């Protein structure tokens, strides 16, 4: 789901539009769409990890 979210972000989609296109693939909410807040959190965590890895 992260890879697809990154691809959609490159296309300039809003968080709401990204959330509508993404589908949760595992867990209790499998088959449902994530909330825009979840998408934002996922992208923010990814950005923090990549900047931390680049700073090492």
């Amino acid at each position: 789901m992260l890879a697809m979210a990154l691809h959609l972000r490159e296309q300039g989609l809003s968080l709401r539009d990204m959330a509508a296109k993404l589908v949760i693939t595992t867990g209790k909410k499998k088959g449902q769409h994530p909330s825009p807040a979840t998408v934002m959190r996922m992208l923010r965590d990814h950005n923090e990890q990549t900047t931390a890895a680049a700073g090492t």
Side-chain angles (χ1 to χ4, degrees), residues 16-36:
R16 285 184 180 173
D17 292 339
M18 281 190 252
K21 291 183 182 277
L22 296 172
V23 177
I24 299 171
T25 57
T26 60
K28 184 177 178 181
K29 297 192 178 228
K30 181 178 180 177
Q32 297 180 13
H33 299 283
S35 69

Side-chain angles (χ1 to χ4, degrees), residues 29-45:
K29 297 192 178 228
K30 181 178 180 177
Q32 297 180 13
H33 299 283
S35 69
T38 300
V39 175
M40 181 176 61
R41 190 177 318 113
M42 183 174 49
L43 292 172
R44 184 187 63 222
D45 291 346

Side-chain angles (χ1 to χ4, degrees), residues 4 31-32 34 49:
M4 185 63 174
Q32 297 180 13
Q49 289 175 358

